[in-house]
Amino acid sequence: MPTASEVKGLYKAFLREGKKFSNYNVREFVQRKAKVDFRSHAAETDKAIVSKLWTQAKLDLEVARRQAVVYSLYGSKQKSVMDIPMVKVLQKQTEDAPYTTA
């Protein structure tokens, strides 16, 4: 049965892997899924179930790692609108706005 620090480490590893995805939707999905899954099983005390969940989480982390590599090789390099800071969007709008005299 994993210790609390091991579980916390696995949780943080999931969040770190999620940050490696260039696609906003995939990145947010991986991080959200990790948060929901870990929080939903936080109160689990049955050793057999905890062991099963631990094994499954480690397998899921390996899948996320492989997918991060695949996305880095073949994914789009173009940023999503969600990745662009709002300041840049507003600056671009003011640059493109026609000048008017009142």
Side-chain angles (χ1 to χ4, degrees):
M1 189 165 140
T3 63
S5 62
E6 289 175 331
V7 172
K8 188 175 179 181
L10 186 63
Y11 175 70
K12 287 183 176 183
F14 260 107
L15 296 181
R16 278 192 304 271
E17 280 306 312
K19 290 179 183 178
K20 292 181 181 178
F21 287 93
S22 60
N23 185 309
Y24 172 81
N25 292 324
V26 177
R27 181 173 59 242
E28 291 299 314
F29 170 76
V30 170
Q31 291 176 337
R32 185 176 55 247
K33 182 168 176 14
K35 289 175 185 177
V36 168
D37 287 351
F38 275 83
R39 288 177 184 162
S40 67
H41 299 295
E44 192 63 55
T45 57
D46 184 17
K47 290 183 179 185
I49 294 175
V50 169
S51 178
K52 182 180 172 186
L53 290 169
W54 175 256
T55 304
Q56 185 60 44
K58 285 173 63 175
L59 292 174
D60 289 345
L61 179 61
E62 290 303 316
V63 170
R65 285 183 175 151
R66 287 193 302 270
Q67 287 299 327
V69 170
V70 170
Y71 266 84
S72 70
L73 295 173
Y74 300 108
S76 173
K77 301 300 179 197
Q78 182 177 1
K79 287 194 171 219
S80 168
V81 174
M82 300 301 288
D83 291 330
I84 301 172
M86 195 60 173
V87 174
K88 289 184 179 181
V89 173
L90 294 175
Q91 286 174 348
K92 180 72 173 149
Q93 287 177 350
T94 57
E95 291 171 1
D96 293 343
Y99 291 100
T100 58
T101 58

